[in-house]
Amino acid sequence: MNQRTPAVVLAVIVLLLAAACGASGTGTEKPANTEPRNGSGRAAPSMAGEHDPGAAGRRDTTVDQISTFALDVDTASYGYAKRLLKEGRLPEPDRIRAEEFVNSFRQDYRDPEGDGFSVHMDGARMPGNGTALLRVGLRTRQAQQRARRPANLAFVVDVSGSMGAPGRLDLVREALHQLIGQLGPGDQISIVAFSDEAEVVLPMTPATSRDELDAAVERLAVRASTNLEAGLTAGYAEAARTFRAVATNRVILLSDGLANEGDTSWQGILDRVEESAGRQITLLCVGVGRDYGDRLMEQLADNGDGAAVYIGSADDARKVFVEQLAANLDLRARDAKAQVVFNPSTVESYHLVGYENRQIAAEDFRDDTRDGGEVGPGHSVTALYEVRLREGTSGQLATTTVRWQDPDTRDPGEVSRSLEAADLAASLWRETSPRLQVDVVAAAFAEYLRTGEPLAGVEAKELAEHATRLAASTEDAEVAELAGLVTRASSLR
């Protein structure tokens, strides 16, 4: 016998076993996302306009049955789109991120019993073509303001010339005054201002010294150009100098994100932010301004183990720094990731709505050195899937698992939940919870602005009608505002 024959036979057996494992959903299949990644496992930064609206694509479950993504609590995309629409302008399609539209709205998920996550799955069949919409909802336990850990906050405030326009530095001052009024005896604040260079306006000061803090805020004044690199470097240095292991150590950047001096290359700034995040100093990016560097601020938040929000009004500032203070300052989970495994015998294909730049390889799900998302107390994260069902489907559709690390010990935790075909409602608009319907309207609105295409057959002309009905049934002013935005967008097209 040829001596090479046993080796060839063995190789064939190995390949067959590998294929069988892939079909069984063990996580060894080809990653769903082939986007270039940097060394931490997060998506490499992408420039405005780079995303193809259909890039996420529809996945065939016979080839790719696992969807894995980092959790994301950003809402800046919706906040900025809201401002532009109110001014009579359509937002640029590449600035629309559907998950940030959905995550801007209140959800109906229960709190978990411990410090991890609750997992919620529901959905509805759509008429006509064998499709369904599935919702995956994740939530951390809410914390009372008095129960959160103390905070070391280094504010990095953009005072460049562009911040002199109405609704920028004046709004930042208002936001800071509101925040100062909410802080407790264990909290500390420092303020760094930057234009062409950075200046420590106030070193780390106890939050009980409110007169001193408010006076420092009032000293913030517009100067020259924007050296974002210098501002972040000084802010992180101040946070590191006063680091407390028992506290939440966070840099809060308030800027229009339009860097024009210093290291303005994205990768240079992102690398500095990522290095500081590795030392447990997280970042909150607060965007302001009619002209706004959305993509840079989003990538800073992702690399800085934080979140990106946008404030366009005093009401927005109150929501971020008063109503959601504990969620935006404290942490419940680090490097949180979700993985949805679809059953190929019941689901023919699926499409994750949004999360284009948060998708990660399936094999990285349980690799705790790979970056995920940071989630605070009381945060809800929602993902919608458009799925095509096999004819006569019954049985399990999908299983969702969320994995995270304890923010202090880095110990990993996991929890899972499954959804059966019998759990799907027969009608989205008549038999599901109002909050699921709001999520669908928000996601469909985002897709309408981004691609002009309907989501799961939900046409743009239906959106305002559904939003108006849901605003009445939920008595939610934010849903009423969404209805107005849908109407405004339709008139601008």
Side-chain angles (χ1 to χ4, degrees), residues 153-159 169 172-173 176-177 179-180 188-194 198-205 209-210 212-221 223 231 234-235 238-239 241 252 254:
L153 307 177
F155 286 93
V156 178
V157 182
D158 186 347
V159 294
L169 188 55
V172 166
R173 290 195 200 94
L176 288 175
H177 285 312
L179 175 67
I180 289 167
Q188 298 186 127
I189 293 177
S190 66
I191 300 176
V192 172
F194 71 93
E199 173 195 359
V200 178
V201 176
L202 186 73
M204 200 64 78
T205 301
S209 303
R210 290 186 178 174
E212 187 177 356
L213 292 169
D214 284 328
V217 170
E218 286 303 309
R219 291 199 301 273
L220 296 170
R223 300 177 192 171
E238 184 68 12
R241 183 182 66 80
I252 301 180
L254 299 107

Side-chain angles (χ1 to χ4, degrees), residues 13-128:
I13 292 172
V14 169
L15 287 172
L16 290 172
L17 287 172
C21 290
S24 66
T26 60
T28 59
E29 72 294 324
K30 181 181 177 181
N33 181 45
T34 57
E35 184 176 3
R37 315 195 72 78
N38 64 22
S40 68
R42 62 170 62 83
S46 52
M47 293 300 181
E50 181 177 315
H51 287 303
D52 173 4
R58 180 172 292 279
R59 309 292 184 180
D60 184 339
T61 57
T62 60
V63 177
D64 187 1
Q65 70 193 80
I66 299 183
S67 172
T68 310
F69 60 94
L71 300 198
D72 191 346
V73 296
D74 294 355
T75 59
S77 176
Y78 179 67
Y80 185 53
K82 183 168 65 171
R83 172 170 181 159
L84 292 183
L85 288 166
K86 288 181 177 180
E87 292 179 350
R89 295 190 293 162
L90 285 171
E92 299 91 334
D94 65 305
R95 296 191 179 201
I96 302 299
R97 294 182 291 278
E99 70 276 14
E100 297 185 24
F101 276 53
V102 174
N103 287 328
S104 296
F105 292 90
R106 191 177 309 151
Q107 302 296 337
D108 53 2
Y109 314 137
R110 62 176 178 81
D111 273 2
E113 295 181 358
D115 287 337
F117 287 83
S118 63
V119 181
H120 176 95
M121 294 187 75
D122 59 0
R125 295 175 184 266
M126 304 303 290

Side-chain angles (χ1 to χ4, degrees), residues 44 186 251 281 301:
V251 170
I281 300 173

Side-chain angles (χ1 to χ4, degrees), residues 289-453:
R290 190 171 188 267
D291 298 311
Y292 170 54
D294 167 74
R295 186 65 69 185
L296 175 57
M297 294 287 272
E298 183 210 9
Q299 292 292 339
L300 284 170
D302 288 350
N303 281 50
D305 282 356
V309 299
Y310 180 89
I311 56 175
S313 66
D315 286 342
D316 290 342
R318 188 178 305 109
K319 182 177 180 180
V320 170
F321 289 124
V322 178
E323 298 172 16
Q324 300 176 346
L325 180 65
N328 286 324
L329 294 189
D330 213 347
L331 279 182
R332 276 275 188 259
R334 290 186 184 272
D335 290 329
K337 311 163 192 170
Q339 187 166 82
V340 182
V341 181
F342 290 92
N343 181 355
S345 67
T346 57
V347 176
E348 180 181 301
S349 62
Y350 65 90
H351 165 60
L352 173 60
V353 181
Y355 293 94
E356 285 87 358
N357 62 357
R358 300 296 280 166
Q359 296 182 49
I360 57 180
E363 61 265 28
D364 289 341
F365 179 64
R366 290 189 174 87
D367 182 348
D368 293 329
T369 66
R370 296 295 186 178
D371 188 67
E374 276 55 46
V375 183
H379 260 133
S380 294
V381 180
T382 300
L384 292 175
Y385 286 88
E386 183 182 8
V387 302
R388 185 174 297 280
L389 304 175
R390 297 196 184 278
E391 189 173 353
T393 286
S394 63
Q396 188 182 98
L397 297 176
T399 298
T400 296
T401 303
V402 59
R403 182 179 177 88
W404 71 95
Q405 295 177 46
D406 182 275
D408 297 318
T409 66
R410 293 282 185 173
D411 291 339
E414 281 191 19
V415 63
S416 299
R417 186 181 182 91
S418 296
L419 182 72
E420 301 286 318
D423 296 330
L424 292 176
S427 168
L428 171 65
W429 306 118
R430 293 194 302 271
E431 298 183 15
T432 65
S433 73
R435 290 296 168 185
L436 170 56
Q437 295 178 41
V438 171
D439 292 340
V440 173
V441 170
F445 183 41
E447 291 300 282
Y448 169 68
L449 292 173
R450 194 170 71 106
T451 69
E453 297 297 323

